């Protein structure tokens, strides 16, 4: 304030004249007329200021209620008149008229609101009444829309319009529909009356649902699943388009989408999958249908729960294919390597399907893996087949392959290996095969062998492969020993060159020294070896034991090979020599014939101490038509009795100088079966000839020990544990090697309780305690 | 909404405010529209909007004068960063000015 002391007088305020009733009425009359004029679209003649001032004055002089009530009444009159007019309008024009009327009403209301702005700001806030604009909407709804004649007809017309459009009849009603939808939305919002929801949304959704229910059913019954998928996608897009064009609010759009998806997809998911020829299940069989499947997946993915059906179908198919492979192998229609190759191909095929048709969805991939595991682990068959396959690879298949190829092949093997649950069965077979390969020198490449072992180590850990690595080590050490023994012998001989070393000619031997624990054990007592051989062996033994005192060598005569120089021919004519490559046992047998011309089975047995079944096998392989080194007395394939006589066959001939004498298969010995068809390499025909699904006995025993060890280890750490928890823990620890069934574990627990490693608690016999 | 006097070009439109005694005040339309009531009047479809003339038979000249001053003041300093000088209101007019302000919504 600049000058506080200046006396100011307030100009006489225009005296606050209390307005009396008549003046008020007049003022109101003017306003009422104005509203009429506005309705008649004559507003441009009016002065805004005057009307505004009138309203202002009324409110100021406390006639707000009068004004408000008056306005309400006036609007009401006008709107009723409008409604009446609409009643007369024929159906075909009704929607259009409503739309126009609504637009006009909006304009009018804006003008009325403008005039009455003062009231809006003061009186209404104070008295908490409906603001003017909302009042207008509210009255519109009540008087116009809710008019029975209007609403019924309008609703029906709306629904019909939508139905028409769906049927494919193009209407240009879309703009009008859009306006009416907007109108309903605004009306509903103004007075929270849910007009939109009640009068439009609900019937709309209901009608849509019915429509799609019927349509989808009829379409599906007349068309293939693939066509249906295309049509369904098109429908969904149409509806989305329509919702946009009509500017439906999101609250409608989302239930709409959801409902259509339910009708189109959810309801028919099963049918779509199972339909013959074109259903998903059928499509899976066909390699060319990847895109069709993917389309179906895209459709189903809108209703996530329905994708389960697709996954189910996939799982079923994998199981069926898997079963076919297994039964092929069972019947002998295909051999183990073919089985494995079949599984590999199958896996690649389904991988591709998951990638393309399921867009690599994680859940599906998991399901595929589970299905593979399921059918592969029905019994231990897959493990043994896989080991045979790997054996073949490492013996023959990878000959001349590059490093990359080797890695690729082995990778594929490992993939299948991962699926197996009986990994220890695989290990035991693999060990046996590996032993034969190493000892027989049949492995195609050292690198490949090592690559395989390192892959296994990466998969299962060090423990798994420690024995295998031990085997490699043994071979390496043996070779070194061999070299040093040779040089030792040379030194010895050169020292003894002057003396006669007896009339026994020294025999060259190559020895592989194996550490007992690493190699599959044979435990066969040694047979009686020919004296020359025995002599060489004794010398080697002496040499070795000097190097490594405190060790014990036991000679495995069941394995090994020998090269014999044999002279055939009667007298001095037809002398021909051959070099025969035979097994140790065969060598023992044949060398006997140096001293005798013919021998009986019993005699041979006594002289050589070869176990009987092996003896028979080796004998028969020496009498086969192809390699008749010995002549058998009895007729027929098999050996008749102990008195069966064997004679040296001097007339034996062969085109080759070096002849390898193969061993016949074990099974053919007893039945006297296909003796000449022994496989080319002796190795494969031995122990693992029958690939069946059972777990081999030694593995079974190992498992028992492993489970017991695991139980004791766990109990020692936890001191006390419940039955279910214990089983879960044991299973988890052993899952790397194999899956123990709960019953199995239970038996082991009981056995441990008997042996007093564990005990049951007194109060709760499901809980076990560790006994120190 | 017929609003044929809104222009987007450089041309400035002026409105005329007439007080009770007949004083005429010219001001830029944009400035006048700072008052809510005036804005509505000029944007509506009534007579005022067509000829851009607004009569205020209830508002005295000296009051209207100060209102116009205020509108300019507000427009000038609305988004200003400088120090805003005080708008002086003579106490003898304060009451009427208050009523007018309420009337005009500014």
């Amino acid at each position: 304030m600049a000058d506080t002391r200046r006396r100011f007088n307030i100009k006489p305020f225009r005296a606050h004249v209390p307005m009396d009733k008549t003046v008020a009425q007049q003022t109101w009359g003017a306003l009422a007329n104005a509203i009429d004029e506005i309705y008649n679209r004559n507003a441009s003649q009016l002065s805004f200021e005057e009307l505004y001032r009138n309203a202002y004055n009324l409110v100021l002089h406390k006639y707000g209620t009068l004004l408000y009530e008056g306005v309400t009444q006036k609007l009401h009159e006008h709107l009723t008149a409008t409604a009446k007019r609409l009643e007369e309008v024929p159906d075909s024009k009704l929607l259009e008229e409503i739309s126009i009327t609504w637009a006009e009403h909006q304009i009018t209301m804006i003008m009325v609101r403008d005039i009455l702005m003062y009231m809006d700001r003061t009186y209404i806030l104070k008295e908490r009444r409906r603001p003017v604009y909302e009042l207008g909407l509210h009255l519109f709804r009540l008087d116009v829309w809710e008019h029975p004649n209007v609403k019924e007809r309008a609703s029906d017309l709306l629904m019909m319009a939508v139905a028409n459009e769906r049927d494919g009849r193009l209407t240009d009603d879309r703009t009008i529909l859009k306006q009416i939808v907007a109108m309903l939305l605004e009306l509903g919002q103004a007075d929270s009356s849910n007009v939109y929801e009640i009068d439009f949304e609900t019937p709309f959704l209901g009608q849509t649902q019915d429509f799609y229910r019927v349509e989808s059913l009829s379409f599906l019954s007349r068309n293939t699943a693939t066509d249906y998928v295309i049509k369904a996608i098109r429908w969904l897009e149409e509806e989305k388009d329509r919702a946009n064009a009509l500017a439906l609010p999101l609250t409608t759009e989302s239930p709409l989408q959801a409902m259509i998806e339910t009708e189109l997809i959810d309801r028919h998911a099963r049918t779509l999958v199972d339909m013959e020829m074109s259903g998903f299940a059928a499509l899976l069989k066909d390699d060319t249908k990847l895109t069709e499947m993917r389309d179906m997946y895209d459709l189903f993915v809108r209703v996530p729960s329905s994708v389960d059906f697709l996954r189910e179908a996939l799982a079923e198919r994998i199981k069926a294919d898997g079963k076919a492979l297994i039964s092929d192998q069972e019947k002998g229609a295909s051999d183990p390597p073919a089985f494995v190759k079949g599984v590999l191909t199958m896996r690649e095929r389904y991988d591709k399907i998951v990638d393309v048709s399921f867009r690599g969805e994680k859940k599906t991939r998991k399901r595929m893996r589970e299905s593979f595991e399921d059918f592969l682990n029905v019994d231990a068959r897959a493990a043994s087949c896989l080991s045979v396959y790997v054996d073949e690879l490492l013996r023959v298949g990878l000959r001349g392959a590059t490093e990359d190829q080797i890695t690729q092949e082995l990778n594929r093997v490992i993939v299948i290996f991962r699926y197996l649950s009986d990994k220890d069965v695989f290990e035991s077979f693999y060990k046996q095969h590996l032993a034969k390969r190493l000892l027989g020198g049949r492995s195609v490449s050292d690198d490949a062998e090592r690559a395989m072992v390192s892959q296994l180590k990466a998969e299962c850990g060090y423990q798994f492969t420690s024995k295998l690595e031990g085997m490699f080590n043994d071979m390496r050490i043996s070779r070194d020993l061999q070299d040093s023994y040779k040089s030792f012998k040379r030194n010895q001989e050169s020292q003894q060159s002057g003396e006669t070393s007896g009339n026994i000619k020294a025999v060259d031997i190559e020895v592989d020294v194996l550490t007992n624990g690493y190699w599959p054990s044979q435990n066969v007592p040694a047979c009686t070896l020919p004296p020359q051989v025995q002599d060489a062996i004794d010398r080697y033994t002496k040499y070795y034991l000097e190097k490594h005192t405190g060790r014990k060598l036991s000679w495995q005569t069941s394995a090994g090979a020998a090269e014999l120089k044999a002279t055939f021919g009667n007298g001095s004519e037809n002398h021909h020599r051959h070099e025969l490559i035979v097994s140790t046992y065969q060598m023992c047998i044949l060398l006997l014939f140096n001293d005798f011309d013919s021998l009986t089975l019993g005699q041979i047995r006594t002289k050589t101490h070869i176990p009987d079944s092996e003896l028979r096998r080796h004998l028969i392989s020496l009498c086969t038509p192809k390699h008749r080194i010995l002549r058998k007395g009895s007729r027929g394939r098999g050996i008749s009795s102990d008195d069966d006589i064997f004679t040296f066959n001097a007339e034996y001939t062969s085109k080759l100088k070096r002849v390898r004498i193969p061993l016949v298969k074990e099974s053919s010995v007893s039945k006297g079966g296909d003796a000449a068809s022994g496989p080319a390499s002796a190795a494969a025909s031995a122990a693992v000839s029958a690939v069946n699904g059972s777990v081999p006995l030694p593995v079974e025993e190992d498992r028992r020990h492993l489970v017991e060890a695991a139980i004791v280890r766990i109990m020692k750490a936890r001191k006390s544990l419940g039955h279910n928890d214990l089983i879960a823990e044991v299973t988890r620890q052993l899952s790397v090697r194999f899956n123990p069934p709960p019953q199995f574990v239970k038996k082991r627990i009981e056995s441990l309780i008997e042996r007093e490693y564990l005990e049951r608690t007194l109060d709760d016999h499901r809980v076990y305690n560790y006994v120190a | 909404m017929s609003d044929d006097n809104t222009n987007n070009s450089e041309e400035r439109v002026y409105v005329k405010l007439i007080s009770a005694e007949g004083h005429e005040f010219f001001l830029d339309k944009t400035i006048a529209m700072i008052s809510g009531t005036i804005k509505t009047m000029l944007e509506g479809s009534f007579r005022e909007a067509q000829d851009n003339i607004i009569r205020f038979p209830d508002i005295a000249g000296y009051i209207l004068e100060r209102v116009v001053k205020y509108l300019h003041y507000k427009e000038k300093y609305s988004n200003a960063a400088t120090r805003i000088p005080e708008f002086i209101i003579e106490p003898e007019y304060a009451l009427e000015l208050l009523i007018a302000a309420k009337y005009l919504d500014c």
Side-chain angles (χ1 to χ4, degrees):
Chain A
M1 280 315 237
D3 203 343
T4 51
R5 267 182 300 114
R6 173 169 152 197
R7 288 202 39 216
F8 54 82
N9 54 4
I10 298 179
K11 279 218 169 108
F13 192 69
R14 224 174 302 134
H16 188 99
V17 179
M19 198 190 268
D20 68 26
K21 215 49 193 310
T22 35
V23 179
Q25 288 292 1
Q26 277 173 345
T27 323
W28 161 242
L31 277 170
N33 282 338
I35 296 184
D36 285 335
E37 290 299 318
I38 292 177
Y39 256 96
N40 292 333
R41 283 171 261 141
N42 264 336
S44 50
Q45 303 300 329
L46 305 165
S47 158
F48 181 93
E49 196 277 330
E50 185 185 327
L51 300 171
Y52 183 78
R53 197 169 15 99
N54 281 340
Y56 167 80
N57 280 327
L58 279 176
V59 173
L60 199 60
H61 291 97
K62 315 250 188 278
Y63 285 105
T65 322
L66 167 70
L67 178 58
Y68 192 83
E69 303 285 312
V71 168
T72 317
Q73 180 60 24
K74 203 56 45 196
L75 289 175
H76 178 65
E77 280 168 18
H78 279 279
L79 289 171
T80 329
T82 314
K84 236 190 204 72
R85 186 170 51 83
L86 283 177
E87 235 182 309
E88 312 291 316
V89 173
D91 277 1
S92 55
K93 292 250 168 246
L94 183 60
L95 288 181
E96 201 180 333
E97 275 302 313
I98 294 182
S99 189
I100 296 174
T101 314
W102 166 249
E104 283 177 1
H105 176 79
Q106 279 180 302
I107 298 176
T108 316
M109 279 318 301
I110 289 179
M111 288 202 264
V112 170
R113 179 199 64 191
D114 285 345
I115 307 175
L116 302 174
M117 211 192 299
Y118 188 76
M119 181 175 76
D120 255 353
R121 273 189 279 141
T122 48
Y123 171 78
I124 281 176
L125 284 181
K126 216 165 71 164
E127 301 292 322
R128 268 181 273 230
R129 306 200 69 161
R130 215 187 283 270
V132 175
Y133 191 74
E134 277 74 15
L135 175 65
L137 295 183
H138 174 72
L139 289 173
F140 186 88
R141 178 177 72 86
L142 286 177
D143 293 330
V144 178
W145 180 254
E146 300 282 339
H147 192 275
N149 198 296
V150 172
K151 182 157 87 156
E152 303 288 328
R153 289 196 291 155
S155 282
D156 292 338
L157 286 168
L158 280 174
M159 290 303 130
M160 249 174 36
V162 174
N164 278 345
E165 225 186 271
R166 288 222 179 91
D167 273 343
R169 273 166 280 185
L170 255 190
T171 54
D172 28 1
D173 278 342
R174 267 205 182 170
T175 7
I176 301 184
L177 287 181
K178 181 172 173 180
Q179 285 164 351
I180 298 201
V181 167
M183 168 183 91
L184 288 173
L185 274 170
E186 218 181 319
L187 286 180
Q189 264 173 358
D191 53 3
S192 331
S193 58
N194 295 335
V195 193
Y196 170 74
E197 282 80 6
I198 301 173
D199 289 333
F200 178 75
E201 195 182 43
T202 323
F204 175 68
L205 288 178
Q207 185 182 359
T208 313
Q209 192 176 36
D210 290 334
F211 174 76
Y212 279 111
R213 189 173 294 184
V214 169
E215 271 301 308
S216 63
L217 209 55
S218 80
F219 191 87
L220 199 55
S221 64
R222 281 178 283 123
N223 291 286
T224 65
T226 339
D227 288 337
Y228 180 86
V229 168
I230 299 175
K231 183 91 174 147
I233 294 184
R234 201 146 50 93
W235 269 329
L236 281 164
E237 278 171 12
E238 263 174 31
E239 281 302 321
K240 198 158 178 177
D241 196 42
R242 185 171 309 118
N244 273 343
L246 293 182
L248 293 180
L250 274 173
T251 46
T252 309
E253 209 180 315
S254 17
L256 179 69
Q257 277 285 77
M259 182 192 66
I260 300 181
E261 280 167 7
T262 319
E263 287 302 317
L264 287 181
I265 303 172
D266 212 11
R267 221 172 258 287
H268 301 286
R270 184 109 283 245
T271 329
L272 284 172
V273 168
D274 292 338
M275 193 186 262
E276 275 200 31
M277 293 289 281
S278 60
F280 194 75
L283 289 179
L284 276 173
K285 295 194 196 139
D286 190 342
D287 272 336
T288 58
K289 296 279 184 199
L290 288 177
T291 9
E292 280 86 348
M293 287 199 281
R294 188 190 50 200
D295 288 338
M296 211 181 266
Y297 173 74
D298 284 339
L299 184 65
F300 275 59
V301 94
R302 291 165 189 258
V303 184
S305 60
S306 62
V307 187
D308 280 343
F309 284 109
L310 298 182
R311 287 192 211 112
E312 276 303 316
L314 183 69
E316 289 292 309
R317 188 100 281 280
I318 293 180
K319 247 196 275 193
D321 276 353
K323 254 209 191 114
L325 273 181
I326 288 185
S327 68
D328 268 350
Q329 200 272 318
E330 252 176 1
K331 284 185 285 190
S334 67
D335 54 357
F339 173 77
V340 175
K341 283 202 191 92
V343 174
L344 280 171
T345 333
M346 215 176 107
R347 192 188 158 269
E348 274 168 19
R349 181 163 174 265
Y350 284 106
D351 230 7
K352 200 159 124 199
I353 291 183
V354 172
D355 274 337
V356 174
S357 305
F358 283 84
R359 294 188 192 274
E361 195 197 36
K362 271 205 194 119
K363 254 188 173 172
T364 316
R365 220 180 267 288
K366 189 162 164 248
R367 201 65 205 280
M368 180 184 112
R369 185 169 53 83
E370 283 167 9
S371 309
F372 265 89
E373 280 175 10
D374 273 344
F375 88 82
L376 278 176
N377 291 320
V378 161
D379 55 19
R381 186 186 306 276
S384 39
C385 285
L386 187 63
S387 61
V388 174
Y389 177 72
V390 175
D391 184 49
E392 198 193 73
L393 271 185
L394 291 170
R395 261 190 302 116
V396 178
L398 287 177
R399 196 186 299 276
T402 65
E403 206 179 301
D404 283 336
Q405 280 174 316
I406 295 180
T407 331
Q408 206 189 38
E409 274 302 318
L410 292 182
N411 270 339
R412 294 166 70 186
V413 170
I414 288 290
V415 161
I416 307 250
F417 178 71
R418 273 194 208 115
Y419 287 144
L420 296 177
S421 66
D422 295 317
K423 294 189 171 76
D424 53 352
V425 174
F426 176 80
E427 188 206 7
S428 102
F429 281 133
Y430 185 76
K431 258 204 318 193
Q432 291 178 12
H433 288 300
L434 181 63
K436 292 206 179 66
R437 282 204 300 278
L438 289 177
L439 292 179
R442 293 207 183 288
S443 157
V444 104
S445 123
D446 224 16
D447 285 334
E449 295 278 355
R450 286 187 186 277
M452 181 71 194
V453 173
S454 56
Q455 292 254 24
L456 285 176
K457 188 153 78 170
E459 271 305 305
C460 299
Y462 172 66
Q463 250 205 351
F464 197 81
T465 51
S466 59
K467 295 207 180 116
L468 304 175
E469 306 225 324
M471 286 158 82
F472 281 120
N473 266 347
D474 279 347
M475 293 309 294
R476 199 172 36 84
I477 295 178
S478 295
R479 228 156 284 152
D480 290 340
L481 262 177
Q482 196 57 36
D483 289 335
S484 67
Y485 181 63
K486 271 210 184 85
S487 52
F488 167 78
K489 253 197 350 184
R490 257 201 309 270
N491 286 342
Q492 249 204 352
E493 269 164 24
S494 63
Q495 281 175 11
Q496 296 175 345
S497 58
E499 306 170 23
T500 43
S501 38
N503 40 10
I504 300 175
K505 211 162 146 212
V507 174
D508 268 333
I509 52 170
E510 266 184 34
V511 182
D512 287 325
V513 183
L514 317 174
T515 315
N516 195 13
Y518 295 154
W519 297 75
S521 50
Q522 300 284 341
N523 276 343
V524 177
C527 67
T528 313
L529 293 167
Q532 311 96 303
V533 181
Q534 189 64 44
D535 180 68
I537 284 181
D538 290 336
R539 277 201 237 174
Y540 187 90
T541 316
K542 203 169 108 194
Y543 171 74
Y544 186 82
L545 290 178
E546 271 170 24
K547 269 199 164 215
H548 302 278
T549 48
R551 290 197 186 177
K552 182 163 168 283
L553 286 180
S554 64
W555 293 86
Q556 303 288 321
T557 47
S558 50
E563 251 179 54
L564 300 175
K565 286 206 182 72
T567 318
F568 296 95
N570 294 336
S572 46
E573 328 156 349
N574 302 344
H575 256 349
H576 38 267
R577 288 178 160 219
H578 292 285
E579 281 171 19
L580 304 174
I581 301 177
V582 295
S583 72
T584 312
Y585 286 153
Q586 285 172 332
M587 170 193 74
C588 297
I589 297 171
L590 286 177
L591 282 174
L592 288 177
F593 284 90
N594 268 345
D595 304 317
F596 296 94
D597 263 339
S598 57
L599 291 163
T600 67
L601 177 67
Q603 288 171 319
I604 300 180
R605 194 188 306 124
T606 345
K607 288 186 194 290
T608 59
H609 292 108
I610 299 177
D612 190 54
S613 58
E614 287 296 306
L615 180 59
R616 285 170 187 261
R617 190 156 79 104
H618 290 257
L619 268 175
I620 292 208
S621 41
L622 291 170
C623 316
T624 62
K626 232 176 155 199
H627 308 281
R628 194 158 278 163
I629 317 252
L630 296 178
R631 248 188 272 129
K632 189 160 59 84
S634 65
R635 312 233 76 192
R637 290 273 168 88
I639 301 180
S640 54
S641 71
D642 268 10
D643 296 320
D644 207 354
I645 298 185
F646 292 90
T647 330
F648 180 72
N649 179 18
E651 272 109 43
Y652 173 75
T653 52
S654 161
K655 292 198 193 74
L656 307 163
K657 190 89 165 99
R658 280 167 76 92
V659 188
R660 175 169 265 157
I661 314 286
L663 283 176
V664 298
K665 276 194 172 171
E666 266 182 41
S667 52
S668 53
V669 174
S670 39
K671 285 190 295 194
D674 211 14
S677 69
S681 61
S685 68
V688 197
S689 56
V691 174
N692 55 16
S694 57
V695 178
L697 209 46
V699 181
E700 189 67 39
E701 277 182 28
D702 271 345
R703 284 186 177 181
R704 277 195 215 125
H705 293 141
L706 280 172
V707 171
E708 291 184 354
I711 295 174
V712 173
R713 196 169 49 234
I714 292 170
M715 286 309 296
K716 189 164 178 193
R718 306 281 196 97
K719 300 290 180 218
S720 157
L721 199 57
H723 178 82
N724 284 336
D725 293 329
L726 181 59
I727 293 198
E729 194 57 33
V730 168
T731 316
R732 197 176 59 79
Q733 285 198 4
L734 293 174
S735 62
V736 186
R737 291 183 65 83
F738 69 102
N739 268 338
Q743 272 303 94
F744 188 74
V745 179
K746 188 161 187 284
K747 274 217 198 85
R748 296 292 103 226
I749 296 178
E750 316 245 302
S751 145
L752 284 174
I753 291 179
E754 265 176 48
R755 285 184 272 155
E756 295 192 0
Y757 281 93
L758 299 183
E759 65 181 8
R760 287 206 161 95
T761 42
L762 294 163
D763 35 341
D764 184 359
H765 74 103
R766 300 283 290 175
V767 178
Y768 304 103
N769 285 338
Y770 179 68
V771 177
Chain B
M1 280 235 280
S2 62
D3 209 350
D4 33 48
N5 284 316
T6 331
N7 55 348
N8 303 325
S9 60
E10 298 293 328
E11 196 187 305
R12 279 153 149 235
V13 185
Y14 285 89
V15 297
K16 187 156 72 174
L17 305 181
I18 307 179
S19 76
E21 297 95 352
H23 290 125
E24 301 180 351
F25 299 88
F26 284 91
L27 59 154
D28 207 51
K29 189 164 179 181
T30 31
I31 296 183
M33 305 253 265
I34 295 177
S35 149
T37 315
I38 298 180
K39 180 167 185 275
T40 320
M41 287 194 211
L42 293 174
E43 281 175 354
S45 37
F46 292 87
R47 203 166 58 213
E48 282 81 358
Q50 288 167 13
D51 28 342
N52 280 342
I53 298 175
I54 305 183
R55 293 185 166 72
F56 291 110
D58 272 358
I59 303 185
Y62 52 88
I63 299 295
L64 197 52
E65 183 191 352
R66 278 177 178 68
V67 170
V68 171
K69 258 204 196 127
Y70 175 74
L71 290 177
H72 281 96
Y73 167 84
K74 176 152 183 190
E75 214 257 340
K76 183 170 173 188
Y77 291 112
S78 260
N79 291 321
T82 58
R83 201 186 125 267
I84 302 176
E86 191 190 337
F87 185 78
I88 310 245
I89 301 178
E90 294 86 347
E92 51 261 37
Y93 305 131
L95 220 42
E96 293 182 60
L97 211 47
L98 192 58
I99 296 173
K102 189 86 175 102
Y103 184 79
L104 292 171
D105 187 27
C106 68

